[in-house]
C-alpha cells in the first residue's frame, strides 16, 4: 500500500522558517517525481513545487519562488520542503504527492500537514 | 499559466441522480492531460480520472470523464452516498500544474 506521510507543520511567525518532510513507502521512491501542493483554509488546491525522480530538476510556483526549496533523499525515501521568509498567505495544509515522470497526474497523496503563519 | 474554471460551484443532488461537473481551460490542454480528483474530509485526495477519460485503478465505472481541448466533463452516473465530496480538475500539460477551484457535490 502506498503511503505518504507529511510532518513538520506548525505555527510560525511571519518571516520565519519551517522544514516539511514527507516519508514514503509502498512504491519505488526513486523512479517517481514528487510535488508539494497546498490548500489554504476553505480554499482550493495550489501546486507549490515539484522535483524530478533523481532530484536534478526542480520547479516552483511563482508565489514561492526564491523562498521555498524542494529536495529529496532517495536513500531515505523522503521528500522535503524548506520554507523561508514565510508570509500569512502561506498558511495552508501542505500535501505531498507522487507522479510518474513526464505528463502524468498525481497518483497518490498524503493526508497533509498544517502550516500556520501568524504572529 | 493555464487557468481552469469549474462549474457549478455547488451541486445539490440526491443519491441515485446523475452529477455532471464541468471544467473549462483558458487554453487548449494538449494530449488531454486533464485529471479529476475527489476530496473528502480527513481523507487523502484520490485520483479518479486521467487523460480526460481514463479511470484510475479501482475507480468504479459510474465515474466517467470526457472532453478535449478546453472543455472537460466529469459525470457520476448514479450518485452513491460516498460520492458526496469536492471534486477538482487539474491540468498536467505544462508547468505550473494548475487546479480548478472545485465543485462540491452535496446531498439535497
Amino acid at each position: 500500500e502506498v503511503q505518504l506521510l507529511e510532518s513538520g507543520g506548525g505555527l510560525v511567525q511571519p518571516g520565519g522558517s519551517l522544514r516539511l518532510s514527507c516519508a514514503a513507502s509502498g512504491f519505488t521512491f526513486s523512479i517517481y517525481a514528487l510535488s508539494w501542493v497546498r490548500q489554504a483554509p476553505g480554499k482550493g488546491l495550489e501546486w507549490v513545487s515539484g522535483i524530478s525522480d533523481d532530484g536534478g530538476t526542480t520547479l516552483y510556483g511563482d508565489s514561492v519562488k526564491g523562498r521555498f526549496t524542494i529536495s529529496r533523499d532517495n536513500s531515505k525515501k523522503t521528500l522535503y520542503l524548506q520554507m523561508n521568509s514565510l508570509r500569512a498567505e502561506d498558511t495552508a495544509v501542505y500535501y505531498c504527492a507522487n507522479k510518474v515522470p513526464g505528463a502524468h497526474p498525481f497518483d497518490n497523496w498524503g493526508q497533509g500537514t498544517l502550516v500556520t503563519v501568524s504572529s | 499559466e493555464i487557468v481552469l474554471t469549474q462549474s457549478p460551484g455547488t451541486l445539490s443532488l440526491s443519491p441515485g441522480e446523475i452529477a455532471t461537473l464541468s471544467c473549462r481551460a483558458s487554453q487548449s490542454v494538449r494530449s488531454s492531460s486533464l485529471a479529476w480528483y475527489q476530496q473528502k474530509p480527513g481523507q487523502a485526495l484520490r485520483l479518479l480520472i486521467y487523460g480526460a477519460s481514463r479511470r484510475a485503478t479501482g475507480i468504479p465505472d459510474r465515474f466517467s470523464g470526457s472532453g478535449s481541448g478546453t472543455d472537460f466533463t466529469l459525470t457520476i452516473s448514479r450518485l452513491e452516498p460516498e460520492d458526496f465530496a469536492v471534486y477538482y480538475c487539474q491540468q498536467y500539460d505544462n508547468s505550473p500544474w494548475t487546479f480548478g477551484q472545485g465543485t462540491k457535490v452535496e446531498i439535497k
Side-chain angles (χ1 to χ4, degrees):
Chain A
E1 179 192 4
V2 172
Q3 287 200 330
L4 295 164
L5 185 61
E6 303 92 340
S7 61
L11 175 64
V12 60
Q13 292 188 336
S17 298
L18 213 54
R19 188 197 198 200
L20 305 183
S21 299
C22 174
S25 62
F27 64 99
T28 307
F29 186 81
S30 61
I31 66 171
Y32 276 79
L34 298 161
S35 277
W36 290 97
V37 177
R38 69 185 180 184
Q39 185 171 35
K43 302 296 185 182
L45 301 166
E46 179 191 12
W47 173 78
V48 172
S49 180
I51 188 167
S52 60
D53 51 356
D54 64 359
T57 300
T58 57
L59 298 168
Y60 299 92
D62 286 344
S63 61
V64 306
K65 205 171 292 184
R67 299 188 299 123
F68 290 10
T69 302
I70 191 171
S71 62
R72 64 189 293 165
D73 185 333
N74 284 353
S75 66
K76 294 182 178 179
K77 299 183 181 181
T78 303
L79 172 71
Y80 303 99
L81 186 67
Q82 177 66 43
M83 305 187 295
N84 298 331
S85 303
L86 284 161
R87 307 166 179 166
E89 54 265 35
D90 296 318
T91 294
V93 174
Y94 286 73
Y95 302 100
C96 65
N98 70 354
K99 63 185 287 296
V100 174
H104 289 273
F106 297 116
D107 290 311
N108 300 284
W109 298 68
Q111 299 232 7
T113 186
L114 175 62
V115 172
T116 304
V117 184
S118 174
S119 54
Chain B
E1 173 176 322
I2 297 177
V3 176
L4 298 179
T5 303
Q6 291 186 239
S7 62
T10 302
L11 209 45
S12 298
L13 295 168
S14 301
E17 290 193 298
I18 300 173
T20 305
L21 289 66
S22 173
C23 176
R24 178 162 290 178
S26 61
Q27 62 191 75
S28 184
V29 177
R30 294 175 302 178
S31 303
S32 295
S33 297
L34 192 287
W36 291 92
Y37 301 89
Q38 179 190 64
Q39 185 176 41
K40 294 182 184 179
Q43 296 186 21
L45 276 103
R46 181 167 71 148
L47 173 65
L48 300 175
I49 300 288
Y50 66 97
S53 61
R54 300 180 179 186
R55 272 188 300 275
T57 302
I59 301 303
D61 61 7
R62 64 180 181 272
F63 290 91
S64 63
S66 62
S68 63
T70 61
D71 289 294
F72 300 89
T73 300
L74 174 69
T75 303
I76 312 172
S77 60
R78 298 170 310 279
L79 281 166
E80 298 286 342
E82 62 267 28
D83 299 336
F84 292 92
V86 180
Y87 294 84
Y88 293 93
C89 59
Q90 180 235 342
Q91 66 81 20
Y92 49 94
D93 178 8
N94 56 31
S95 176
W97 298 296
T98 50
F99 296 85
Q101 79 277 23
T103 291
K104 181 179 182 180
V105 179
E106 65 176 22
I107 299 177
K108 186 175 181 180

